[in-house]
Amino acid sequence: MQIKRTVKTTKTATSTPSASHKIETADDFDIVVKSKRSVTNQDQNTEMTNEMSELPKYFTEKDLNRILKNLDILRSDVYPRDHSEAVEDNIAQSFPSVCLIGLGRCGSNIALDVASLVHDARNYYLNEFHDEEKKRKEKESRAVKWIQRNLKLSNEHDVKPVFLIEPLVMLGDLDKDIEGRIKYSSKGEANNLLAEYNKLKIMDLSEVHAGGAGNAPILGQYLAKMILNKETEQFTNEDWKFIHSYLIDSCGIKANQSRLYFYIFSAGGGTGSGMASEFGLAQQYSYMTKTFEIRPEKDINSQNHSFVFEPIFTSGICILPNINCPSVELSEALHINAGRLLCKYLAEEWDFSYNLENEDCTSDNVMRRIRPWNSMMLISNDIMRYAEENDSEGGIQNIDVNAMEAHANQYISQQIFNILSAQAVTTDYDENYFRRAGIDLGETIRLDANDLFMSLAGPVAIAYAESVVKSNLDPDSNFMVQEGNSGGLNIDELFYRSIDLPHFNKQTQAIEGVSLLPVESKHYREALKKYRENNNDASYLKDIHFFKNCSSVVSIVSLPKDYKLSYMDLNRLKSHLNSLFPNTTLKRYALVIGASANLSLTTLIAKSPCLSDDFLTLIVSYIKRCFAKDQYRFDETLDHEIVNLIKNETFDETILETMLMDFENPAKILDTNWYAIKPMYEKKYRELIRDNQKFTSINDIRLSIESVTKAIHYLREIYRHRISKTKIISLNSPTKVNTKVTKAIPKDEGTQE
């Protein structure tokens, strides 16, 4: 395969010379580059300074003692002393291993749902545990208590293990009264969640901007740059510096034990879509900076053990807008906003992970091409529409809009809940169990940061289903039933429902199905019908790029406390995954016990979702509206060309140059208001951050044609993903050995008789 690459670093939005330059066209860039080529030796130092100024501009606290102090204050708020006096110090001082960051209205609502879900589940578990302890103590005789007391067999300070991870939840919005909205929401008011869940924190950013981002991600991104570039000591809200030290300054160090960060946001809006990416980049910038810091030994000895550097895993959880709803006329701006986010992420992911031109691993090079998250999970807002279409009895059609949004949020919350609970260690199954199921023990995981880091990258979709199962415990005998008895579970049916179009399960009151359709719904429904009618024959589905080009899958099976999954069912699940995803290089399995009342199956599908119809539709809609030259904005010429550029063996970038402008035009979303908004927001930046060297023009964060090119490079890479099955290589050839020895004769001497 030959790929024609044209290096255009002069057009990259992230490589604009400095904040003071107002570079509007490619010609301006050419002038700058030519002037750089003619610099004298004396000016080369200035050039190096300019290159350093091209690095991302984010404020990071450098005073380690101040970071530790801020973490201690936040920790004391998360773990109030009166609740933790009976807990061992090392546990009381540990932050949760997981943090959820909900940004914008949609993201903060979903993060709140997850906090409520975890809070309720933990209360249920602890109440049940308390009841069991009470019954057990009632049965204990005085003699037993005497023996335990005198022989000191019990330890009053033992900490009872809680099966569930309780995440730290950060909620942020460019809204003056985010706390009031959350406080009086159904979750906050009914459950008193703000008062009871100490791990729920609100990022009040209204002093920077209190009026939202106007449904424009570029404004949300620019406002986030202001927030993240301003020194935390200059904020009137003191809580922000504690949150900033936790979220940005200390990620990866031992003093901050959080290792998994999930950013939840809506891709179609302005605040969440713009802010989430920038917050992720700031965190990655701080984290990657630490990887290149080799501190002198005297500094290490002078500091305590709190600065041992450890890996983290970050993921965006992206809610995509409805694309094609027959009954509702949708706003095109939502599609453009989502397409911008997806295009930006793919370009960053290509630069960081695949671009061979960036093999230089120096700190400056790496810092210029960081991406906001290790992976980005995609969940379509079309879930409720498909659920309504699949509701033959019409029950779900009578649900009001608020209830439908609550069900969609429930679907998203349940996926996050399962990912969090998959960190729990499962000891109920030994190595022989997995061996009988045809699974190597190395393929089984608990989803800690390292496992997710190696298993998930790029765009990710989710397949989900759950079933009510009977306990394996016989109530009469209290013995485990035989492993072959699945308690009524049909693993084939469960797997099918997980990859089906989204639908409402009346038995479990949950929405099941795939979070992003592989192809258009009509065609996918027909393919699923053939798959089902032919005894789950994967040949009717596996050629769809969503399945064929998938590089890795992670399956999480969550079980009730008293249920043990048959190894034969696990083997069936593995067979389905192998058949449907023929080209995966990595399959991982996580078994979680006691985290849910029902048996649930969550499958995370990596990278190939970027080849789905919805994903491509959103990216192309953005490119056409914000990049295309006038003659290509409204017909299908550009659509066909982008598809051809992905599929063709060679990539001719000049085709894009003839059809697209050099930079995105935000006026296509904001109309003529763009020319009034731009100077207003830049004035706000200069007033908030007085250091001219830290100024960033809003022009500097526009996406360029290079971003589109890199996004297409990424799509081409995934489109060509293949694997070859491992074959035995041997020096012992099974062919018949010729024992007759012949003498080699030069050509001019004739042949041997």
Side-chain angles (χ1 to χ4, degrees):
M1 179 181 68
Q2 296 179 346
I3 298 178
K4 177 182 176 183
R5 288 194 178 96
T6 309
V7 180
K8 301 179 194 168
T9 54
T10 56
K11 292 184 180 179
T12 309
T14 56
S15 60
T16 49
S18 74
S20 60
H21 291 82
K22 298 293 181 67
I23 299 176
E24 301 284 352
T25 65
D27 293 336
D28 294 332
F29 274 99
D30 292 336
I31 293 171
V32 173
V33 173
K34 289 175 182 176
S35 65
K36 282 189 175 183
R37 289 173 181 167
S38 60
V39 293
T40 61
N41 291 335
Q42 185 177 0
D43 292 334
Q44 285 180 358
N45 292 332
T46 305
E47 182 181 355
M48 292 178 64
T49 303
N50 288 338
E51 288 180 357
M52 290 298 294
S53 69
E54 294 168 10
L55 294 173
K57 301 181 182 69
Y58 299 112
F59 169 76
T60 302
E61 180 61 64
K62 300 298 184 184
D63 188 337
L64 303 183
N65 291 323
R66 186 176 293 174
I67 293 173
L68 280 179
K69 182 180 178 181
N70 290 340
L71 289 178
D72 286 339
I73 294 173
L74 181 63
R75 186 183 291 109
S76 65
D77 196 22
V78 169
Y79 297 101
R81 177 60 57 186
D82 58 338
H83 289 174
S84 59
E85 286 177 348
V87 183
E88 293 180 359
D89 290 341
N90 62 331
I91 295 180
Q93 295 301 310
S94 295
F95 282 107
S97 61
V98 178
C99 177
L100 306 182
I101 304 103
L103 296 173
R105 178 182 173 275
C106 179
S108 57
N109 284 345
I110 293 170
L112 192 65
D113 282 344
V114 177
S116 177
L117 188 68
V118 171
H119 180 68
D120 293 344
R122 184 177 185 274
N123 284 344
Y124 172 81
Y125 176 84
L126 291 179
N127 289 336
E128 184 185 57
F129 178 80
H130 177 73
D131 292 340
E132 290 178 356
E133 283 287 286
K134 187 177 180 180
K135 292 177 182 178
R136 182 182 63 81
K137 288 179 179 180
E138 288 174 354
K139 294 179 181 179
E140 288 179 352
S141 66
R142 293 182 179 179
V144 172
K145 291 181 180 179
W146 182 88
I147 294 172
Q148 289 178 338
R149 184 170 59 251
N150 283 274
L151 297 181
K152 298 181 180 180
L153 298 179
S154 62
N155 185 355
E156 294 178 357
H157 297 289
D158 281 346
V159 180
K160 303 300 182 183
V162 177
F163 80 103
L164 191 60
I165 302 298
E166 281 194 301
L168 196 60
V169 180
M170 304 286 185
L171 308 180
D173 195 5
L174 295 174
D175 187 349
K176 190 174 182 63
D177 192 25
I178 179 176
E179 186 170 356
R181 173 169 67 80
I182 293 169
K183 184 177 181 179
Y184 295 107
S185 68
S186 59
K187 295 291 181 186
E189 190 175 20
N191 299 334
N192 199 20
L193 198 62
L194 283 178
E196 293 183 5
Y197 197 78
N198 295 316
K199 300 180 183 68
L200 179 64
K201 301 298 171 189
I202 294 175
M203 296 184 281
D204 186 355
L205 308 171
S206 58
E207 64 184 89
V208 173
H209 191 78
N215 201 39
I218 193 170
L219 298 184
Q221 182 184 350
Y222 196 60
L223 289 165
K225 273 194 176 293
M226 295 184 201
I227 293 166
L228 296 165
N229 200 4
K230 184 179 178 182
E231 293 186 15
T232 55
E233 294 291 339
Q234 296 177 2
F235 279 79
T236 57
N237 180 12
E238 284 196 355
D239 288 345
W240 171 242
K241 65 183 177 184
F242 308 139
I243 294 172
H244 190 279
S245 284
Y246 166 79
L247 198 61
I248 308 295
D249 304 327
S250 65
C251 56
I253 69 174
K254 194 172 183 180
N256 178 358
Q257 296 83 12
S258 297
R259 295 291 173 258
L260 275 69
Y261 298 87
F262 294 93
Y263 292 78
I264 310 168
F265 57 93
S266 169
T271 300
S273 183
M275 286 181 65
S277 174
E278 205 64 30
F279 269 68
L281 285 171
Q283 187 182 52
Q284 287 292 309
Y285 178 79
S286 175
Y287 177 77
M288 295 300 294
T289 300
K290 295 183 184 69
T291 65
F292 293 102
E293 283 183 353
I294 307 298
R295 292 179 291 119
E297 188 174 355
K298 63 177 182 179
D299 290 349
I300 296 176
N301 294 333
S302 64
Q303 296 292 337
N304 60 27
H305 66 283
S306 298
F307 289 90
V308 177
F309 189 61
E310 296 182 3
I312 66 171
F313 174 83
T314 66
S315 177
I317 298 180
C318 173
I319 317 303
L320 299 177
N322 304 82
I323 292 184
N324 182 23
C325 184
S327 59
V328 180
E329 185 65 30
L330 300 171
S331 171
E332 189 186 18
L334 299 179
H335 301 159
I336 295 171
N337 292 347
R340 182 183 192 272
L341 175 84
L342 300 180
C343 182
K344 180 175 182 290
Y345 177 70
L346 289 194
E348 292 163 336
E349 186 64 30
W350 165 260
D351 246 354
F352 190 87
S353 302
Y354 290 106
N355 194 350
L356 297 179
E357 295 167 1
N358 284 328
E359 288 190 332
D360 177 13
C361 291
T362 59
S363 60
D364 288 354
N365 181 276
V366 172
M367 302 310 289
R368 286 192 186 92
R369 54 189 179 88
I370 55 175
R371 78 281 196 246
W373 314 289
N374 301 95
S375 72
M376 181 167 67
M377 299 181 189
L378 306 167
I379 300 176
S380 173
N381 221 14
D382 275 323
I383 284 172
M384 288 309 303
R385 179 168 69 85
Y386 297 128
E388 181 180 331
E389 290 175 358
N390 289 320
D391 182 25
S392 57
E393 299 178 7
I396 203 170
Q397 296 181 20
N398 299 321
I399 300 176
D400 61 22
V401 175
N402 291 331
M404 290 179 70
E405 181 178 343
H407 281 298
N409 287 358
Q410 175 194 331
Y411 175 91
I412 299 161
S413 302
Q414 188 64 48
Q415 311 320 312
I416 302 170
F417 181 87
N418 285 340
I419 294 168
L420 302 191
S421 61
Q423 292 182 93
V425 180
T426 296
T427 57
D428 296 57
Y429 300 91
D430 58 17
E431 185 173 356
N432 291 330
Y433 168 83
F434 290 104
R435 181 181 54 78
R436 292 197 300 271
I439 296 173
D440 187 274
L441 194 62
E443 294 178 317
T444 62
I445 58 172
R446 57 182 289 260
L447 295 184
D448 60 18
N450 278 321
D451 290 314
L452 285 171
F453 188 88
M454 298 304 296
S455 305
L456 296 178
V460 174
I462 301 169
Y464 178 75
E466 65 179 58
S467 291
V468 177
V469 292
K470 299 176 183 178
S471 170
N472 288 130
L473 290 176
D474 184 342
D476 296 326
S477 64
N478 282 336
F479 284 102
M480 192 74 71
V481 299
Q482 290 185 352
E483 209 168 49
N485 187 349
S486 62
L489 173 67
N490 185 336
I491 197 71
D492 300 333
E493 175 71 17
L494 182 71
F495 182 79
Y496 172 79
R497 284 190 279 114
S498 73
I499 62 170
D500 194 6
L501 279 83
H503 55 277
F504 193 70
N505 186 327
K506 296 180 179 62
Q507 188 179 19
T508 63
Q509 298 296 301
I511 296 173
E512 303 175 330
V514 67
S515 66
L516 183 70
L517 291 194
V519 292
E520 189 273 330
S521 60
K522 181 180 178 181
H523 294 98
Y524 190 51
R525 188 175 278 109
E526 292 174 355
L528 283 171
K529 183 179 179 182
K530 294 178 180 177
Y531 171 81
R532 189 73 177 274
E533 290 174 347
N534 289 274
N535 195 26
N536 297 333
D537 186 352
S539 62
Y540 293 95
L541 292 176
K542 67 179 183 180
D543 288 333
I544 297 174
H545 293 298
F546 186 87
F547 301 115
K548 182 174 69 173
N549 300 92
C550 174
S551 63
S552 66
V553 293
V554 176
S555 281
I556 305 167
V557 182
S558 182
L559 307 171
K561 189 171 62 172
D562 295 329
Y563 182 83
K564 190 169 184 181
L565 184 69
S566 163
Y567 72 85
M568 292 184 290
D569 284 336
L570 191 60
N571 183 262
R572 289 287 297 168
L573 174 61
K574 181 182 180 182
S575 298
H576 285 306
L577 291 170
N578 286 338
S579 299
L580 195 59
F581 300 96
N583 294 314
T584 52
T585 53
L586 186 66
K587 293 186 181 74
R588 309 297 294 276
Y589 305 87
L591 286 177
V592 185
I593 297 174
S596 60
N598 299 323
L599 185 149
S600 66
L601 170 64
T602 301
T603 303
L604 305 175
I605 303 160
K607 294 183 181 175
S608 58
C610 69
L611 301 179
S612 67
D613 291 3
D614 286 4
F615 195 102
L616 291 175
T617 299
L618 291 171
I619 280 191
V620 173
S621 69
Y622 162 69
I623 295 172
K624 286 178 71 171
R625 282 293 175 266
C626 295
F627 273 98
K629 296 177 180 177
D630 286 341
Q631 62 268 38
Y632 302 111
R633 283 180 57 200
F634 301 105
D635 61 22
E636 296 182 357
T637 305
L638 183 58
D639 304 26
H640 297 313
E641 284 297 339
I642 290 178
V643 170
N644 290 335
L645 288 174
I646 295 171
K647 296 170 70 173
N648 291 344
E649 286 300 312
T650 57
F651 185 8
D652 186 358
E653 295 178 10
T654 59
I655 295 175
L656 289 178
E657 294 174 5
T658 60
M659 304 178 77
L660 305 182
M661 298 181 294
D662 290 334
F663 294 95
E664 69 171 329
N665 185 358
K668 299 302 180 183
I669 298 176
L670 298 168
D671 201 32
T672 54
N673 291 325
W674 166 248
Y675 301 103
I677 287 172
K678 179 179 176 293
M680 179 180 72
Y681 276 67
E682 290 186 347
K683 179 177 184 292
K684 176 178 285 194
Y685 198 115
R686 289 187 185 277
E687 289 180 346
L688 284 171
I689 303 164
R690 295 291 181 175
D691 187 350
N692 287 332
Q693 292 184 348
K694 293 184 177 181
F695 176 75
T696 299
S697 169
I698 203 167
N699 280 332
D700 296 341
I701 66 171
R702 287 185 300 167
L703 300 192
S704 68
I705 190 174
E706 190 72 6
S707 303
V708 178
T709 303
K710 291 174 180 177
I712 294 176
H713 270 303
Y714 186 90
L715 293 168
R716 288 172 57 84
E717 182 75 21
I718 307 306
Y719 180 79
R720 283 159 178 74
H721 172 75
R722 300 287 187 276
I723 63 169
S724 58
K725 300 296 182 182
T726 304
K727 297 180 180 179
I728 299 296
I729 298 175
S730 175
L731 293 174
N732 300 307
S733 175
T735 57
K736 185 177 179 181
V737 180
N738 185 3
T739 57
K740 183 178 179 181
V741 179
T742 57
K743 180 181 177 181
I745 301 176
K747 291 181 180 179
D748 57 351
E749 294 184 12
T751 59
Q752 183 179 358
E753 293 182 358

